[in-house]
Structures are given as structure tokens and as C-alpha cells.
Amino acid sequence: MRLPPIALALSIATGLLVSTAARATTWYVAPGGNDTHPGSSPSAPFATIAKANAVAMPGDVVSVADGSYADFPDPARSGTSSQRIRYVGNLAAPARVVVTAFGTLDRTDVTLVGFDFSAAFSLSGVRDSVAWCQAEGPRPQVALASDCVLAHCTITADRFWFMGGETDTATKALRDTLTDNVITLHPPGPGSHTVRFRNVERSLIRRCRFVISVPAAAYDASITKFFFVKHCRIEDCSWDASSACVTGCDEAGWFVLRDVTQDIYFLRDSITLRGPGPTQFFASAAGSYPGSIMHDHYDHCVFRQVGPTSYGSAMHYQDLAQNDTLTGCVLVSSEAALSFNTGIDRVLVDHCTLAGFDPYQGVLDLNNTAAWSSLAVRSSIMWAAPSEPRTREYATIVAQLASASGHLSSDHNLVYGPMPRDSAIYCFNVGPSAPGSGKPWCTGVGEDCSSAFGNPLFLNTSSVAGFDARLGAGSAALGLGFSGTDAGAFGSGSVPPLDVIPPAAIGNLGFGAGAAPAFGVAGPGGAGPASRARSTLTRAAREQATP
């Protein structure tokens, strides 16, 4: 008979206490105990976690009974790669084992499972792990840690930070794993970023769910911000964030990639930004190091801009866009879908769906005069809500001739919106145009000669929140893409949009033996299509994350 996950975890933990007894000591802590007791049996437990910290040796297990404790579990000495020190609370109900003091786990090869850290915690060691726990407080964090794991935790707090040092030359957080965590954040007021990733490299963030509510007073509480983040994978994660800050908000509703953030691979992620205050996803933002954000990849992701936008689109490049790819993505917004503020250098948009409900200056906004070198848009759908005004500003594509000519490669796309077919595209100095061979956009600029105008027949276009990018029967996008593929992110018979698919169930809680001392995370450079790009934790990571 296959046990449910939590029952299996309890079984593993119980077996752990028995199996380690022959080679190490199991220490017991309980509210009715006494630190003068031997502590090595349930009938004579210690009273404090501090006493267990003082005596725990590599390979030992500290079993902590239900109750409230003023001491944080951080042993006086480290474990080893083959003999971890483990603190086990209540896996079925972590809220029953409450640690009231803020603490830092900064040893090596230590695992904490089944606790409620009511004053937050900092995971800051090497090959340490916190799993099957919950936390509250001002700011739980993973800080200056390497090869550490935060797994299956529920965090309800003001903020959450994952970081190395403050500068690119300082200590980095390396090869860490955050997996299967639910993180709900409510920053009470000003005081910096809500979710902060800084100086993190070669780490994996997988199946984490962030729910963020920024109040009116938190004018600088950026929803999420990246600084000096490199060679990381973020997969099957979701952000559902809202900002109540309406005026004087600075960056309250912003999700920002800035300052030497490079080679990030976003796979099947979902980012939903809501009002009533303005919000914005920045694929590159102006910062202290202009032109330093590059080589970021978005694979089958969904960006949903429900409320008002700060810069008018679901995804905005405030700084240079360079060497990025968007493949199989959905960008849908209350205004435009994708916009660029400055240069564009070797950016690919392939089999994406770009949708705007009030796209002034185009769903794909190329209406800038900055010099740019190359943008390729292919096998994609650009859709504007047909109820919008019939003026050139609401053409589905709006471009400057000087910028687009010789620098844009766009074809096998479907274009649809409020303007008639012959005005669906507007290019300054060329005029209105339909897509297709012989049309002004094709003859004057050389683009979209094999593209078409037509209704993609999306399954739901009632609102941004309800938008469903799957294609209905008879869609004009069917077979339009390169090599006869369907244009857009979801062809006929496709799976539902990512953000209505719950995280996958955990299929293995097995306890790994003989784990290697460290684990690596493959960088995005070697990743293939979504079907082949699923990363897995190494044995060492599974070992740390398992009760």
C-alpha cells in the first residue's frame, strides 16, 4: 500500500530515529523536561533546545516534542556530508512546535524539519536544509548560504529575501534550492523590497508560489527585485501580486530584473500583477549598471497584467533588451503586451501570444526612435481587443520605419484587432497596412509577407483575468506558423494556460543514503525545449529536503 506523502514522511522520520540509534544518539526535548536529565530517552528529555544544541554531534537526531521554545535549533558543531545533524519537530503539524526566537542556521550539514519559526529564521550555512516547516515574522531569508535547501515550507511574513552579499564582488549564494514552498507576504509599509534576490548564482527555484499584497503605504516595496542574479532556473513557480498604492508609489508594484541579472531561465512560470495601483514587469530595468541585463529566457510562461500598468505593457524593457528569448509565452495586459524603451539586440519572440485590451501604440509597441539592431517575431499572435477605438494608435503593431527597417524580422504571425485588415499595422513613413504579400508593410519594410489578419478565436476574451489563449475551432492561427505549426502559444488541443495548472504532486519522499556532499544546478545555456528542460534535484538535495 502506498502511503500519502505526509504519512510517508512521518514513517521516514520514525524509521530515522530507530535506524540512527545504533550509530549515533537521539536526543529528546520536551516542555516537561529538565536540562539536568540525560536527554537520551523520551522519559528523561531536556527542557531546552539550547541544551540539545550543546551536545549534538554528527549523525545525531534531536527529537523536539510539541510546545513552545525560546531557543533556535543551531548546533554548537556541524554535521558532515555522511552524518547530518537533524532536528525533528512535528511533521504533521509544525505549528505545534513553536520556536519563538529569531535564529540563524549557519553550520554545515544540518537539517531542521517540522517547526514553526514564529519570529522568522535565516538559512545561512553550507549544505543545510529547512523543510516541512512554517515561518512568520518580519523577514525569513536564505542569506549567504551555499548548497542549501528550503523545501515544502509555508511562510507568512512581511518579506522574504534570498541573497548573497550586497555587491557583485561579495560572497555569493551558490547552488541553493528553493522547492515546493508557499510564501505569502504583506509588507506593512516602506522598508525595501518584498521579495529580493541578490547576488545569487546557479540556484534552482522550483514549484514555489508567491502571494503578495502591497498596501498603500509601502511605496518602495517592489513586488520582486533581482540584482546580480546569474545562471539560475526558475521553473513552475507562480506570483500573484497586487498593489494598493495608487499615488506616490515609487516602485511599489514593480517586478524588476536589473543590475547584472543574466542567464536566468524561466520555465512554465506564471506572473499575475493586479491593482488598484499601477504594477509592471520589467524584463530589464535601468539601474546602476546600464546594459548589463542579458541572456534571459522565458519558456512557456504566462504574464498577466490585470490592473493598470506603470509603463503600458505586460512586459517592458526599460533598459537595453539583448539576447533574450520568449518561446511559447502568453503576455496579456490591460494595455499593451510587449514594449521596448531603448535598444533591441538579438531578441527572439517565437510562438507567443501577445494580447492587449487597451493597447495604445500597439500590442507590440515598436514606436521608439532609439537605434536597435535585431528583433525576430515569428509564429506568434498579436491580438488587440476589437472593442477599442479605430485609430492608428490602436493598430495591432505600431512601429517607426527608421527603427524597424533592416532590424526587424517578423513573419508567419497572426494579427487581429479593432482596425480593419488594411490598417492593422501602422508604420510611420509607410502608413497603414495589412500583413501579407504585396502590402505596404511587406513591400516597404519587408516584414510579415507570409503573415495574416484574422480572428484567433481564443476560448475566452472577456477580460485580462479570464483570458484563455487556447485556440477555438476554425482559428485563423491554425497552421499559420513556420513549418505548418499553429501560431501562438497554444495550438489546437493544447493544455490549459500554465497558471490554471496546480504544482505537480511530490512523487518521492524517499530518504537518500550516501549522498554526495554538494549538488549542482545546470545553467540555462544547455536547456532544450520545455519537454526536455525539466530539472531534478540531485541526490544530495533530496537528502537535505527529506525529513
Side-chain angles (χ1 to χ4, degrees):
M1 179 181 70
R2 184 174 181 178
L3 294 173
I6 193 62
L8 178 58
L10 289 168
S11 175
I12 292 167
T14 304
L16 173 64
L17 298 180
V18 174
S19 65
T20 56
R23 61 181 174 83
T25 301
T26 298
W27 304 101
Y28 296 87
V29 180
N34 192 305
D35 284 354
T36 62
H37 287 168
S40 55
S41 70
S43 60
F46 297 138
T48 68
I49 293 176
K51 178 64 176 180
N53 287 340
V55 300
M57 301 290 290
D60 287 358
V61 175
V62 178
S63 177
V64 184
D66 291 0
S68 180
Y69 301 90
D71 309 309
F72 188 86
D74 185 40
R77 58 195 60 79
S78 294
T80 69
S81 59
S82 60
Q83 290 191 308
R84 302 182 65 78
I85 299 174
R86 292 173 171 84
Y87 291 75
V88 180
N90 189 325
L91 285 115
R96 296 179 183 175
V97 186
V98 180
V99 175
T100 59
F102 174 83
T104 299
L105 177 59
D106 56 4
R107 299 297 177 184
T108 301
D109 296 295
V110 177
T111 291
L112 312 181
V113 294
F115 292 92
D116 177 5
F117 299 107
S118 64
F121 66 85
S122 181
L123 176 56
S124 303
V126 176
R127 297 189 301 274
D128 291 335
S129 59
V130 176
W132 300 98
C133 290
Q134 62 186 51
E136 298 79 37
R139 196 180 78 205
Q141 63 184 20
V142 179
L144 299 170
S146 289
D147 301 296
C148 287
V149 176
L150 180 70
H152 306 287
C153 289
T154 300
I155 294 173
T156 305
D158 295 349
R159 293 173 168 85
F160 175 81
W161 286 13
F162 179 19
M163 59 189 181
E166 283 298 308
T167 67
D168 196 27
T169 57
T171 303
K172 303 178 187 302
L174 296 171
R175 300 175 303 277
D176 296 311
T177 297
L178 278 59
T179 183
D180 297 282
N181 302 296
V182 177
I183 302 173
T184 303
L185 305 173
H186 304 87
S192 198
H193 319 121
T194 305
V195 177
R196 189 181 201 227
F197 298 99
R198 190 177 187 110
N199 223 352
V200 176
E201 294 192 12
R202 301 191 182 279
S203 293
L204 170 66
I205 305 167
R206 186 185 68 170
R207 292 202 305 263
C208 290
R209 188 176 298 274
F210 297 87
V211 181
I212 299 171
S213 299
V214 176
Y219 56 82
D220 61 349
S222 301
I223 287 166
T224 296
K225 224 167 188 183
F226 287 67
F227 304 83
F228 310 117
V229 181
K230 304 173 188 173
H231 311 295
C232 292
R233 294 178 65 88
I234 303 174
E235 56 184 53
D236 296 306
C237 292
S238 71
W239 277 259
D240 193 314
S242 62
S243 175
C245 187
V246 178
T247 58
C249 298
D250 191 17
E251 303 179 1
W254 291 5
F255 190 124
V256 174
L257 276 60
R258 60 167 279 181
D259 288 358
V260 202
T261 291
Q262 301 172 356
D263 288 291
I264 310 302
Y265 193 89
F266 293 88
L267 175 62
R268 298 184 301 270
D269 296 306
S270 171
I271 298 173
T272 300
L273 303 180
R274 308 178 190 273
T279 57
Q280 186 65 61
F281 180 88
F282 290 89
S284 69
S288 303
Y289 302 92
S292 65
I293 305 99
M294 64 184 75
H295 292 280
D296 297 322
H297 309 279
Y298 305 90
D299 191 343
H300 290 79
C301 295
V302 175
F303 297 85
R304 197 182 295 272
Q305 180 85 34
V306 177
T309 72
S310 296
Y311 282 78
S313 61
M315 177 182 284
H316 179 66
Y317 283 86
Q318 184 186 40
D319 196 28
L320 180 65
Q322 48 188 336
N323 297 97
D324 282 8
T325 62
L326 289 83
T327 305
C329 293
V330 176
L331 284 68
V332 55
S333 168
S334 59
E335 297 183 48
L338 178 61
S339 60
F340 301 89
N341 182 61
T342 181
I344 309 169
D345 183 12
R346 289 168 290 183
V347 172
L348 170 66
V349 179
D350 180 47
H351 281 89
C352 290
T353 295
L354 311 181
F357 278 75
D358 186 17
Y360 188 82
Q361 301 295 351
V363 171
L364 175 62
D365 182 357
L366 301 177
N367 182 31
N368 68 77
T369 57
W372 48 279
S373 58
S374 56
L375 168 67
V377 183
R378 64 189 191 191
S379 304
S380 295
I381 300 173
M382 286 158 277
W383 177 93
S387 59
E388 293 307 313
R390 288 194 166 197
T391 65
R392 73 180 190 187
E393 290 82 9
Y394 285 90
T396 307
I397 300 174
V398 177
Q400 292 277 358
L401 176 62
S403 299
S405 184
H407 306 296
L408 175 67
S409 175
S410 181
D411 212 356
H412 290 272
N413 300 305
L414 182 67
V415 178
Y416 188 71
M419 298 294 284
R421 180 190 305 269
D422 289 339
S423 303
I425 300 169
Y426 186 83
C427 180
F428 292 89
N429 303 113
V430 172
S433 177
S437 177
K439 304 301 181 182
W441 178 242
C442 173
T443 58
V445 187
E447 303 307 327
D448 289 294
C449 298
S450 298
S451 296
F453 178 91
N455 194 337
L457 297 176
F458 294 131
L459 294 190
N460 189 337
T461 59
S462 61
S463 64
V464 176
F467 185 79
D468 188 335
R470 289 176 294 171
L471 306 177
S475 169
L478 299 177
L480 180 62
F482 274 98
S483 301
T485 59
D486 297 337
F490 295 100
S492 56
S494 294
V495 296
L498 175 144
D499 56 353
V500 300
I501 302 174
I506 306 303
N508 179 16
L509 288 174
F511 186 78
F519 66 96
V521 177
S531 60
R532 295 188 286 110
R534 298 177 183 274
S535 68
T536 57
L537 298 182
T538 65
R539 176 188 288 181
R542 293 196 302 270
E543 147 79 4
Q544 289 172 237
T546 302

